[in-house]
Amino acid sequence: MAFAQETPAVRLRALENYEHARIVDQTPEDQRNHLIVAEYDRLFPYSAATLPSMSDDELRSAFSASYLAAFFAMDRRLTSEVEAYLHALEQRGIVSGKDFVKMHDIFVATRMFDRANEIKTKYPDLNMEKAPTIIGRSPVRKPSRLVPTSQDDSLTYQPVNLKGRVLVVIAHPLCHFSVNAIKAISEEPALSSIFKGAVWLAPPGPRLNLPEINKWNEDHPAAPLAFMDQREDWPMFDAWATPTFYFLNNGKVVAKVEGWPPAKGMKDFYQSAARWKAAR
């Protein structure tokens, strides 16, 4: 393969350029994530057997590339590859504190909180959150949420019932578009009625920002935010940008609205809501 003749740094730069291009050309989010992972697999095919023979530069570039892919994929397969490269770097004594932070953040994004806390405990001076304990988590994959409790060190696992009509909102308190949305919803009765009983979810990411989530819930008790457990539990969703509004009927997407103000305008939002309410 032609790429095998290129230096690791060149291949890493090619992956970073590919990622940037997929963002600039506004490739749909789910498709973009799959394309970036596929390009990573092409440029940096993983094999545990080759790790000992890789040069330091190869290991460093492969670690950075696997982190980039895992950031978009947020799945266990890529997470295990990031971890394997990290261990190889550590064995050679060429690992940095930033590398451990990246590993910690990927563990948080994939909800592997125990593993994240192992790193936090081992390196307490690094800038890493302490991840909470998940109470009552089911081994069966299904749409679910992790609900903050009165104590900051735990989240309660709850399946989400998608029977009938359900409005799911992907939002985050550090997203000003999400903040603008909840402000408008709170002030406009027509919107408030649509959002009554909606499920509000913060998408998986490298940081939990639990204090900000708790503050949101104090300020907006009618729209409490919980954490999405894992993206793979919501296969009907194809976008995770905040805010995104999914109008579901028995677990199937009837309509999707992105952004606030909605990308296609308020008329489209109300039309989407009307289609949802008419769904049988």
Side-chain angles (χ1 to χ4, degrees):
M1 300 180 208
F3 72 83
Q5 306 303 317
E6 297 171 347
T7 67
V10 168
R11 282 183 277 139
L12 177 60
R13 188 158 56 249
L15 179 63
E16 292 170 340
N17 290 340
Y18 186 84
E19 171 217 359
H20 179 71
R22 297 294 72 74
I23 293 173
V24 170
D25 67 14
Q26 298 183 335
T27 302
E29 189 171 349
D30 194 50
Q31 179 185 356
R32 177 200 68 197
N33 295 346
H34 283 96
L35 288 171
I36 290 172
V37 170
E39 186 68 357
Y40 158 75
D41 286 334
R42 185 183 74 83
L43 292 170
F44 291 89
Y46 176 78
S47 170
T50 65
L51 294 180
S53 62
M54 293 174 69
S55 70
D56 290 355
D57 287 343
E58 286 176 318
L59 275 179
R60 168 60 56 194
S61 294
F63 173 78
S64 297
S66 64
Y67 171 78
L68 187 155
F71 179 84
F72 287 96
M74 293 190 189
D75 67 16
R76 299 297 176 93
R77 192 266 291 185
L78 269 300
T79 300
S80 68
E81 293 185 15
V82 179
E83 186 177 17
Y85 288 126
L86 179 72
H87 285 168
L89 291 172
E90 191 174 14
Q91 289 173 349
R92 296 192 189 186
I94 55 173
V95 71
S96 71
K98 290 182 179 180
D99 298 330
F100 288 112
V101 172
K102 288 180 177 180
M103 186 75 259
H104 170 276
D105 290 352
I106 291 298
F107 280 142
V108 169
T110 53
R111 304 317 194 208
M112 300 172 70
F113 290 164
D114 290 345
R115 303 301 308 281
N117 284 335
E118 289 174 7
I119 297 177
K120 171 66 176 173
T121 300
K122 190 174 181 180
Y123 303 99
D125 294 333
L126 295 178
N127 180 26
M128 296 180 285
E129 294 177 313
K130 183 180 185 300
T133 300
I134 299 176
I135 300 172
R137 191 187 220 168
S138 169
V140 179
R141 305 263 40 107
K142 62 179 72 174
S144 57
R145 58 188 170 186
L146 304 175
V147 181
T149 65
S150 57
Q151 299 178 340
D152 288 346
D153 61 353
S154 65
L155 302 172
T156 299
Y157 174 93
Q158 289 183 356
V160 177
N161 185 357
L162 298 182
K163 185 177 181 179
R165 291 190 296 273
V166 180
L167 173 55
V168 178
V169 184
I170 311 299
H172 197 280
L174 297 182
C175 165
H176 70 274
F177 298 111
S178 298
V179 172
N180 291 343
I182 192 60
K183 182 175 185 296
I185 293 163
S186 302
E187 295 175 351
E188 175 55 56
L191 287 173
S192 297
S193 65
I194 293 172
F195 283 87
K196 185 177 181 180
V199 176
W200 291 74
L201 297 174
R207 294 290 170 131
L208 292 174
N209 303 116
L210 189 54
E212 288 79 7
I213 296 287
N214 287 335
K215 181 64 166 60
W216 171 291
N217 292 343
E218 290 176 8
D219 294 342
H220 310 289
L225 262 173
F227 296 97
M228 185 177 289
D229 190 0
Q230 296 182 51
R231 291 196 310 204
E232 65 194 57
D233 299 338
W234 299 82
M236 70 290 290
F237 294 171
D238 61 1
W240 311 97
T242 56
T244 300
F245 309 89
Y246 287 100
F247 296 87
L248 305 180
N249 185 47
N250 292 320
K252 296 183 179 180
V253 178
V254 175
K256 178 181 74 173
V257 174
E258 299 178 274
W260 198 271
K264 297 181 181 179
M266 288 305 301
K267 181 178 179 180
D268 177 74
F269 179 88
Y270 283 114
Q271 288 175 341
S272 297
R275 291 199 306 276
W276 172 60
K277 289 185 176 183
R280 294 292 184 267

PDB file of all heavy atoms in Angstrom, residues 90-121:
ATOM      1  N   GLU A  90       4.161   3.904  27.591  1.00  0.00           N
ATOM      2  CA  GLU A  90       4.565   3.892  28.998  1.00  0.00           C
ATOM      3  C   GLU A  90       5.724   2.924  29.213  1.00  0.00           C
ATOM      4  O   GLU A  90       6.681   3.229  29.944  1.00  0.00           O
ATOM      5  CB  GLU A  90       3.367   3.496  29.852  1.00  0.00           C
ATOM      6  CG  GLU A  90       3.574   3.686  31.341  1.00  0.00           C
ATOM      7  CD  GLU A  90       2.304   3.423  32.131  1.00  0.00           C
ATOM      8  OE1 GLU A  90       1.341   2.853  31.572  1.00  0.00           O
ATOM      9  OE2 GLU A  90       2.291   3.782  33.318  1.00  0.00           O
ATOM     10  N   GLN A  91       5.671   1.776  28.579  1.00  0.00           N
ATOM     11  CA  GLN A  91       6.736   0.781  28.723  1.00  0.00           C
ATOM     12  C   GLN A  91       8.070   1.308  28.210  1.00  0.00           C
ATOM     13  O   GLN A  91       9.135   0.932  28.724  1.00  0.00           O
ATOM     14  CB  GLN A  91       6.350  -0.499  27.988  1.00  0.00           C
ATOM     15  CG  GLN A  91       5.235  -1.285  28.672  1.00  0.00           C
ATOM     16  CD  GLN A  91       4.756  -2.454  27.832  1.00  0.00           C
ATOM     17  OE1 GLN A  91       5.109  -2.584  26.655  1.00  0.00           O
ATOM     18  NE2 GLN A  91       3.938  -3.324  28.422  1.00  0.00           N
ATOM     19  N   ARG A  92       7.999   2.192  27.214  1.00  0.00           N
ATOM     20  CA  ARG A  92       9.248   2.737  26.663  1.00  0.00           C
ATOM     21  C   ARG A  92       9.685   4.015  27.367  1.00  0.00           C
ATOM     22  O   ARG A  92      10.728   4.590  27.039  1.00  0.00           O
ATOM     23  CB  ARG A  92       9.081   3.013  25.172  1.00  0.00           C
ATOM     24  CG  ARG A  92       8.823   1.761  24.362  1.00  0.00           C
ATOM     25  CD  ARG A  92       8.947   2.012  22.894  1.00  0.00           C
ATOM     26  NE  ARG A  92       8.494   0.868  22.113  1.00  0.00           N
ATOM     27  CZ  ARG A  92       8.601   0.779  20.799  1.00  0.00           C
ATOM     28  NH1 ARG A  92       9.155   1.780  20.104  1.00  0.00           N
ATOM     29  NH2 ARG A  92       8.160  -0.290  20.153  1.00  0.00           N
ATOM     30  N   GLY A  93       8.886   4.484  28.305  1.00  0.00           N
ATOM     31  CA  GLY A  93       9.242   5.689  29.039  1.00  0.00           C
ATOM     32  C   GLY A  93       9.099   6.965  28.246  1.00  0.00           C
ATOM     33  O   GLY A  93       9.788   7.958  28.520  1.00  0.00           O
ATOM     34  N   ILE A  94       8.222   6.962  27.237  1.00  0.00           N
ATOM     35  CA  ILE A  94       8.045   8.164  26.408  1.00  0.00           C
ATOM     36  C   ILE A  94       6.610   8.681  26.492  1.00  0.00           C
ATOM     37  O   ILE A  94       6.126   9.363  25.590  1.00  0.00           O
ATOM     38  CB  ILE A  94       8.422   7.889  24.934  1.00  0.00           C
ATOM     39  CG1 ILE A  94       7.635   6.701  24.368  1.00  0.00           C
ATOM     40  CG2 ILE A  94       9.919   7.647  24.805  1.00  0.00           C
ATOM     41  CD1 ILE A  94       7.845   6.484  22.870  1.00  0.00           C
ATOM     42  N   VAL A  95       5.936   8.364  27.588  1.00  0.00           N
ATOM     43  CA  VAL A  95       4.561   8.808  27.783  1.00  0.00           C
ATOM     44  C   VAL A  95       4.574  10.144  28.521  1.00  0.00           C
ATOM     45  O   VAL A  95       5.496  10.450  29.281  1.00  0.00           O
ATOM     46  CB  VAL A  95       3.768   7.737  28.576  1.00  0.00           C
ATOM     47  CG1 VAL A  95       4.226   7.688  30.031  1.00  0.00           C
ATOM     48  CG2 VAL A  95       2.269   7.979  28.473  1.00  0.00           C
ATOM     49  N   SER A  96       3.523  10.945  28.306  1.00  0.00           N
ATOM     50  CA  SER A  96       3.423  12.247  28.970  1.00  0.00           C
ATOM     51  C   SER A  96       2.134  12.316  29.785  1.00  0.00           C
ATOM     52  O   SER A  96       1.216  11.488  29.622  1.00  0.00           O
ATOM     53  CB  SER A  96       3.431  13.381  27.939  1.00  0.00           C
ATOM     54  OG  SER A  96       2.209  13.399  27.208  1.00  0.00           O
ATOM     55  N   GLY A  97       2.061  13.300  30.654  1.00  0.00           N
ATOM     56  CA  GLY A  97       0.845  13.501  31.430  1.00  0.00           C
ATOM     57  C   GLY A  97      -0.361  13.747  30.543  1.00  0.00           C
ATOM     58  O   GLY A  97      -1.473  13.271  30.828  1.00  0.00           O
ATOM     59  N   LYS A  98      -0.167  14.463  29.455  1.00  0.00           N
ATOM     60  CA  LYS A  98      -1.271  14.731  28.527  1.00  0.00           C
ATOM     61  C   LYS A  98      -1.825  13.436  27.930  1.00  0.00           C
ATOM     62  O   LYS A  98      -3.015  13.347  27.636  1.00  0.00           O
ATOM     63  CB  LYS A  98      -0.811  15.678  27.418  1.00  0.00           C
ATOM     64  CG  LYS A  98      -0.556  17.105  27.884  1.00  0.00           C
ATOM     65  CD  LYS A  98      -0.149  17.997  26.719  1.00  0.00           C
ATOM     66  CE  LYS A  98       0.082  19.432  27.175  1.00  0.00           C
ATOM     67  NZ  LYS A  98       0.493  20.308  26.028  1.00  0.00           N
ATOM     68  N   ASP A  99      -0.957  12.467  27.748  1.00  0.00           N
ATOM     69  CA  ASP A  99      -1.407  11.182  27.210  1.00  0.00           C
ATOM     70  C   ASP A  99      -2.372  10.499  28.176  1.00  0.00           C
ATOM     71  O   ASP A  99      -3.396   9.938  27.771  1.00  0.00           O
ATOM     72  CB  ASP A  99      -0.217  10.261  26.938  1.00  0.00           C
ATOM     73  CG  ASP A  99       0.738  10.835  25.901  1.00  0.00           C
ATOM     74  OD1 ASP A  99       0.272  11.578  25.010  1.00  0.00           O
ATOM     75  OD2 ASP A  99       1.946  10.541  25.990  1.00  0.00           O
ATOM     76  N   PHE A 100      -2.067  10.559  29.460  1.00  0.00           N
ATOM     77  CA  PHE A 100      -2.951   9.950  30.449  1.00  0.00           C
ATOM     78  C   PHE A 100      -4.278  10.705  30.538  1.00  0.00           C
ATOM     79  O   PHE A 100      -5.338  10.097  30.741  1.00  0.00           O
ATOM     80  CB  PHE A 100      -2.272   9.913  31.821  1.00  0.00           C
ATOM     81  CG  PHE A 100      -1.172   8.907  31.922  1.00  0.00           C
ATOM     82  CD1 PHE A 100       0.143   9.315  32.052  1.00  0.00           C
ATOM     83  CD2 PHE A 100      -1.447   7.541  31.870  1.00  0.00           C
ATOM     84  CE1 PHE A 100       1.174   8.390  32.140  1.00  0.00           C
ATOM     85  CE2 PHE A 100      -0.424   6.608  31.957  1.00  0.00           C
ATOM     86  CZ  PHE A 100       0.893   7.026  32.084  1.00  0.00           C
ATOM     87  N   VAL A 101      -4.219  12.022  30.376  1.00  0.00           N
ATOM     88  CA  VAL A 101      -5.455  12.806  30.369  1.00  0.00           C
ATOM     89  C   VAL A 101      -6.334  12.393  29.195  1.00  0.00           C
ATOM     90  O   VAL A 101      -7.565  12.227  29.338  1.00  0.00           O
ATOM     91  CB  VAL A 101      -5.145  14.317  30.315  1.00  0.00           C
ATOM     92  CG1 VAL A 101      -6.432  15.119  30.103  1.00  0.00           C
ATOM     93  CG2 VAL A 101      -4.462  14.766  31.605  1.00  0.00           C
ATOM     94  N   LYS A 102      -5.726  12.206  28.035  1.00  0.00           N
ATOM     95  CA  LYS A 102      -6.490  11.780  26.862  1.00  0.00           C
ATOM     96  C   LYS A 102      -7.131  10.415  27.087  1.00  0.00           C
ATOM     97  O   LYS A 102      -8.295  10.194  26.742  1.00  0.00           O
ATOM     98  CB  LYS A 102      -5.589  11.750  25.622  1.00  0.00           C
ATOM     99  CG  LYS A 102      -5.201  13.131  25.104  1.00  0.00           C
ATOM    100  CD  LYS A 102      -4.317  13.016  23.871  1.00  0.00           C
ATOM    101  CE  LYS A 102      -3.983  14.391  23.308  1.00  0.00           C
ATOM    102  NZ  LYS A 102      -3.126  14.306  22.101  1.00  0.00           N
ATOM    103  N   MET A 103      -6.376   9.497  27.671  1.00  0.00           N
ATOM    104  CA  MET A 103      -6.914   8.166  27.946  1.00  0.00           C
ATOM    105  C   MET A 103      -8.075   8.253  28.931  1.00  0.00           C
ATOM    106  O   MET A 103      -9.113   7.616  28.753  1.00  0.00           O
ATOM    107  CB  MET A 103      -5.807   7.274  28.503  1.00  0.00           C
ATOM    108  CG  MET A 103      -6.209   5.813  28.691  1.00  0.00           C
ATOM    109  SD  MET A 103      -6.299   4.871  27.140  1.00  0.00           S
ATOM    110  CE  MET A 103      -8.057   4.830  26.827  1.00  0.00           C
ATOM    111  N   HIS A 104      -7.895   9.037  29.965  1.00  0.00           N
ATOM    112  CA  HIS A 104      -8.957   9.258  30.959  1.00  0.00           C
ATOM    113  C   HIS A 104     -10.218   9.797  30.295  1.00  0.00           C
ATOM    114  O   HIS A 104     -11.333   9.314  30.543  1.00  0.00           O
ATOM    115  CB  HIS A 104      -8.463  10.235  32.033  1.00  0.00           C
ATOM    116  CG  HIS A 104      -9.527  10.725  32.970  1.00  0.00           C
ATOM    117  ND1 HIS A 104     -10.353  11.783  32.658  1.00  0.00           N
ATOM    118  CD2 HIS A 104      -9.904  10.300  34.203  1.00  0.00           C
ATOM    119  CE1 HIS A 104     -11.178  12.004  33.655  1.00  0.00           C
ATOM    120  NE2 HIS A 104     -10.936  11.117  34.602  1.00  0.00           N
ATOM    121  N   ASP A 105     -10.040  10.774  29.420  1.00  0.00           N
ATOM    122  CA  ASP A 105     -11.194  11.414  28.786  1.00  0.00           C
ATOM    123  C   ASP A 105     -11.938  10.442  27.873  1.00  0.00           C
ATOM    124  O   ASP A 105     -13.172  10.476  27.781  1.00  0.00           O
ATOM    125  CB  ASP A 105     -10.745  12.652  28.008  1.00  0.00           C
ATOM    126  CG  ASP A 105     -10.302  13.789  28.927  1.00  0.00           C
ATOM    127  OD1 ASP A 105     -10.482  13.658  30.156  1.00  0.00           O
ATOM    128  OD2 ASP A 105      -9.779  14.790  28.413  1.00  0.00           O
ATOM    129  N   ILE A 106     -11.207   9.563  27.186  1.00  0.00           N
ATOM    130  CA  ILE A 106     -11.875   8.562  26.344  1.00  0.00           C
ATOM    131  C   ILE A 106     -12.626   7.552  27.205  1.00  0.00           C
ATOM    132  O   ILE A 106     -13.741   7.124  26.866  1.00  0.00           O
ATOM    133  CB  ILE A 106     -10.854   7.849  25.434  1.00  0.00           C
ATOM    134  CG1 ILE A 106     -10.332   8.839  24.373  1.00  0.00           C
ATOM    135  CG2 ILE A 106     -11.488   6.638  24.747  1.00  0.00           C
ATOM    136  CD1 ILE A 106     -11.398   9.385  23.429  1.00  0.00           C
ATOM    137  N   PHE A 107     -12.050   7.181  28.344  1.00  0.00           N
ATOM    138  CA  PHE A 107     -12.775   6.293  29.259  1.00  0.00           C
ATOM    139  C   PHE A 107     -14.069   6.947  29.737  1.00  0.00           C
ATOM    140  O   PHE A 107     -15.108   6.287  29.859  1.00  0.00           O
ATOM    141  CB  PHE A 107     -11.895   5.933  30.463  1.00  0.00           C
ATOM    142  CG  PHE A 107     -10.885   4.851  30.204  1.00  0.00           C
ATOM    143  CD1 PHE A 107      -9.617   4.912  30.760  1.00  0.00           C
ATOM    144  CD2 PHE A 107     -11.204   3.748  29.423  1.00  0.00           C
ATOM    145  CE1 PHE A 107      -8.686   3.912  30.546  1.00  0.00           C
ATOM    146  CE2 PHE A 107     -10.273   2.735  29.190  1.00  0.00           C
ATOM    147  CZ  PHE A 107      -9.020   2.818  29.754  1.00  0.00           C
ATOM    148  N   VAL A 108     -14.027   8.235  30.021  1.00  0.00           N
ATOM    149  CA  VAL A 108     -15.237   8.948  30.443  1.00  0.00           C
ATOM    150  C   VAL A 108     -16.266   8.959  29.321  1.00  0.00           C
ATOM    151  O   VAL A 108     -17.449   8.694  29.534  1.00  0.00           O
ATOM    152  CB  VAL A 108     -14.903  10.389  30.892  1.00  0.00           C
ATOM    153  CG1 VAL A 108     -16.182  11.218  31.072  1.00  0.00           C
ATOM    154  CG2 VAL A 108     -14.115  10.371  32.189  1.00  0.00           C
ATOM    155  N   ALA A 109     -15.812   9.242  28.101  1.00  0.00           N
ATOM    156  CA  ALA A 109     -16.737   9.326  26.967  1.00  0.00           C
ATOM    157  C   ALA A 109     -17.417   7.995  26.697  1.00  0.00           C
ATOM    158  O   ALA A 109     -18.593   7.962  26.284  1.00  0.00           O
ATOM    159  CB  ALA A 109     -15.991   9.802  25.718  1.00  0.00           C
ATOM    160  N   THR A 110     -16.701   6.897  26.917  1.00  0.00           N
ATOM    161  CA  THR A 110     -17.274   5.572  26.680  1.00  0.00           C
ATOM    162  C   THR A 110     -17.886   4.986  27.950  1.00  0.00           C
ATOM    163  O   THR A 110     -18.243   3.806  27.982  1.00  0.00           O
ATOM    164  CB  THR A 110     -16.214   4.603  26.122  1.00  0.00           C
ATOM    165  OG1 THR A 110     -15.075   4.593  26.980  1.00  0.00           O
ATOM    166  CG2 THR A 110     -15.788   5.031  24.720  1.00  0.00           C
ATOM    167  N   ARG A 111     -17.987   5.809  28.986  1.00  0.00           N
ATOM    168  CA  ARG A 111     -18.643   5.447  30.249  1.00  0.00           C
ATOM    169  C   ARG A 111     -17.937   4.304  30.965  1.00  0.00           C
ATOM    170  O   ARG A 111     -18.560   3.515  31.657  1.00  0.00           O
ATOM    171  CB  ARG A 111     -20.117   5.108  30.024  1.00  0.00           C
ATOM    172  CG  ARG A 111     -20.946   6.192  29.332  1.00  0.00           C
ATOM    173  CD  ARG A 111     -20.657   7.571  29.864  1.00  0.00           C
ATOM    174  NE  ARG A 111     -21.658   8.562  29.464  1.00  0.00           N
ATOM    175  CZ  ARG A 111     -21.406   9.866  29.330  1.00  0.00           C
ATOM    176  NH1 ARG A 111     -20.168  10.319  29.538  1.00  0.00           N
ATOM    177  NH2 ARG A 111     -22.358  10.717  29.003  1.00  0.00           N
ATOM    178  N   MET A 112     -16.636   4.218  30.779  1.00  0.00           N
ATOM    179  CA  MET A 112     -15.819   3.253  31.509  1.00  0.00           C
ATOM    180  C   MET A 112     -15.235   3.983  32.726  1.00  0.00           C
ATOM    181  O   MET A 112     -14.028   4.228  32.838  1.00  0.00           O
ATOM    182  CB  MET A 112     -14.740   2.685  30.585  1.00  0.00           C
ATOM    183  CG  MET A 112     -15.305   1.965  29.373  1.00  0.00           C
ATOM    184  SD  MET A 112     -14.067   1.479  28.131  1.00  0.00           S
ATOM    185  CE  MET A 112     -13.203   0.170  29.015  1.00  0.00           C
ATOM    186  N   PHE A 113     -16.122   4.356  33.634  1.00  0.00           N
ATOM    187  CA  PHE A 113     -15.763   5.251  34.728  1.00  0.00           C
ATOM    188  C   PHE A 113     -14.726   4.648  35.680  1.00  0.00           C
ATOM    189  O   PHE A 113     -13.874   5.370  36.211  1.00  0.00           O
ATOM    190  CB  PHE A 113     -17.012   5.661  35.502  1.00  0.00           C
ATOM    191  CG  PHE A 113     -17.931   6.580  34.756  1.00  0.00           C
ATOM    192  CD1 PHE A 113     -19.239   6.769  35.187  1.00  0.00           C
ATOM    193  CD2 PHE A 113     -17.514   7.282  33.641  1.00  0.00           C
ATOM    194  CE1 PHE A 113     -20.106   7.625  34.515  1.00  0.00           C
ATOM    195  CE2 PHE A 113     -18.357   8.138  32.953  1.00  0.00           C
ATOM    196  CZ  PHE A 113     -19.665   8.309  33.396  1.00  0.00           C
ATOM    197  N   ASP A 114     -14.812   3.335  35.928  1.00  0.00           N
ATOM    198  CA  ASP A 114     -13.828   2.705  36.818  1.00  0.00           C
ATOM    199  C   ASP A 114     -12.417   2.862  36.271  1.00  0.00           C
ATOM    200  O   ASP A 114     -11.475   3.153  37.023  1.00  0.00           O
ATOM    201  CB  ASP A 114     -14.158   1.227  37.017  1.00  0.00           C
ATOM    202  CG  ASP A 114     -15.410   1.011  37.854  1.00  0.00           C
ATOM    203  OD1 ASP A 114     -15.847   1.976  38.497  1.00  0.00           O
ATOM    204  OD2 ASP A 114     -15.936  -0.117  37.852  1.00  0.00           O
ATOM    205  N   ARG A 115     -12.282   2.675  34.961  1.00  0.00           N
ATOM    206  CA  ARG A 115     -10.962   2.794  34.340  1.00  0.00           C
ATOM    207  C   ARG A 115     -10.482   4.244  34.380  1.00  0.00           C
ATOM    208  O   ARG A 115      -9.281   4.503  34.570  1.00  0.00           O
ATOM    209  CB  ARG A 115     -11.015   2.291  32.896  1.00  0.00           C
ATOM    210  CG  ARG A 115     -11.500   0.858  32.737  1.00  0.00           C
ATOM    211  CD  ARG A 115     -10.617  -0.126  33.495  1.00  0.00           C
ATOM    212  NE  ARG A 115      -9.216   0.014  33.180  1.00  0.00           N
ATOM    213  CZ  ARG A 115      -8.654  -0.476  32.068  1.00  0.00           C
ATOM    214  NH1 ARG A 115      -9.388  -1.174  31.209  1.00  0.00           N
ATOM    215  NH2 ARG A 115      -7.383  -0.302  31.834  1.00  0.00           N
ATOM    216  N   ALA A 116     -11.400   5.176  34.176  1.00  0.00           N
ATOM    217  CA  ALA A 116     -11.039   6.596  34.252  1.00  0.00           C
ATOM    218  C   ALA A 116     -10.522   6.940  35.644  1.00  0.00           C
ATOM    219  O   ALA A 116      -9.515   7.658  35.797  1.00  0.00           O
ATOM    220  CB  ALA A 116     -12.241   7.464  33.897  1.00  0.00           C
ATOM    221  N   ASN A 117     -11.190   6.419  36.663  1.00  0.00           N
ATOM    222  CA  ASN A 117     -10.786   6.747  38.033  1.00  0.00           C
ATOM    223  C   ASN A 117      -9.473   6.082  38.424  1.00  0.00           C
ATOM    224  O   ASN A 117      -8.752   6.601  39.291  1.00  0.00           O
ATOM    225  CB  ASN A 117     -11.897   6.356  39.010  1.00  0.00           C
ATOM    226  CG  ASN A 117     -13.048   7.351  38.978  1.00  0.00           C
ATOM    227  OD1 ASN A 117     -12.865   8.510  38.626  1.00  0.00           O
ATOM    228  ND2 ASN A 117     -14.236   6.892  39.340  1.00  0.00           N
ATOM    229  N   GLU A 118      -9.145   4.962  37.804  1.00  0.00           N
ATOM    230  CA  GLU A 118      -7.834   4.356  38.057  1.00  0.00           C
ATOM    231  C   GLU A 118      -6.723   5.327  37.663  1.00  0.00           C
ATOM    232  O   GLU A 118      -5.719   5.474  38.379  1.00  0.00           O
ATOM    233  CB  GLU A 118      -7.691   3.054  37.271  1.00  0.00           C
ATOM    234  CG  GLU A 118      -8.545   1.903  37.789  1.00  0.00           C
ATOM    235  CD  GLU A 118      -8.470   0.681  36.894  1.00  0.00           C
ATOM    236  OE1 GLU A 118      -7.648   0.677  35.950  1.00  0.00           O
ATOM    237  OE2 GLU A 118      -9.233  -0.275  37.131  1.00  0.00           O
ATOM    238  N   ILE A 119      -6.896   5.981  36.512  1.00  0.00           N
ATOM    239  CA  ILE A 119      -5.890   6.954  36.065  1.00  0.00           C
ATOM    240  C   ILE A 119      -5.911   8.181  36.971  1.00  0.00           C
ATOM    241  O   ILE A 119      -4.859   8.707  37.349  1.00  0.00           O
ATOM    242  CB  ILE A 119      -6.155   7.349  34.601  1.00  0.00           C
ATOM    243  CG1 ILE A 119      -6.007   6.130  33.689  1.00  0.00           C
ATOM    244  CG2 ILE A 119      -5.184   8.447  34.166  1.00  0.00           C
ATOM    245  CD1 ILE A 119      -6.324   6.413  32.237  1.00  0.00           C
ATOM    246  N   LYS A 120      -7.104   8.650  37.329  1.00  0.00           N
ATOM    247  CA  LYS A 120      -7.231   9.812  38.209  1.00  0.00           C
ATOM    248  C   LYS A 120      -6.543   9.560  39.544  1.00  0.00           C
ATOM    249  O   LYS A 120      -5.848  10.437  40.079  1.00  0.00           O
ATOM    250  CB  LYS A 120      -8.713  10.127  38.415  1.00  0.00           C
ATOM    251  CG  LYS A 120      -9.012  11.179  39.476  1.00  0.00           C
ATOM    252  CD  LYS A 120      -8.506  12.549  39.093  1.00  0.00           C
ATOM    253  CE  LYS A 120      -8.900  13.586  40.126  1.00  0.00           C
ATOM    254  NZ  LYS A 120      -8.288  14.914  39.860  1.00  0.00           N
ATOM    255  N   THR A 121      -6.713   8.367  40.090  1.00  0.00           N
ATOM    256  CA  THR A 121      -6.100   8.024  41.377  1.00  0.00           C
ATOM    257  C   THR A 121      -4.582   7.945  41.260  1.00  0.00           C
ATOM    258  O   THR A 121      -3.851   8.390  42.153  1.00  0.00           O
ATOM    259  CB  THR A 121      -6.654   6.683  41.890  1.00  0.00           C
ATOM    260  OG1 THR A 121      -8.071   6.796  42.066  1.00  0.00           O
ATOM    261  CG2 THR A 121      -6.024   6.290  43.209  1.00  0.00           C
TER     262      THR A 121
END
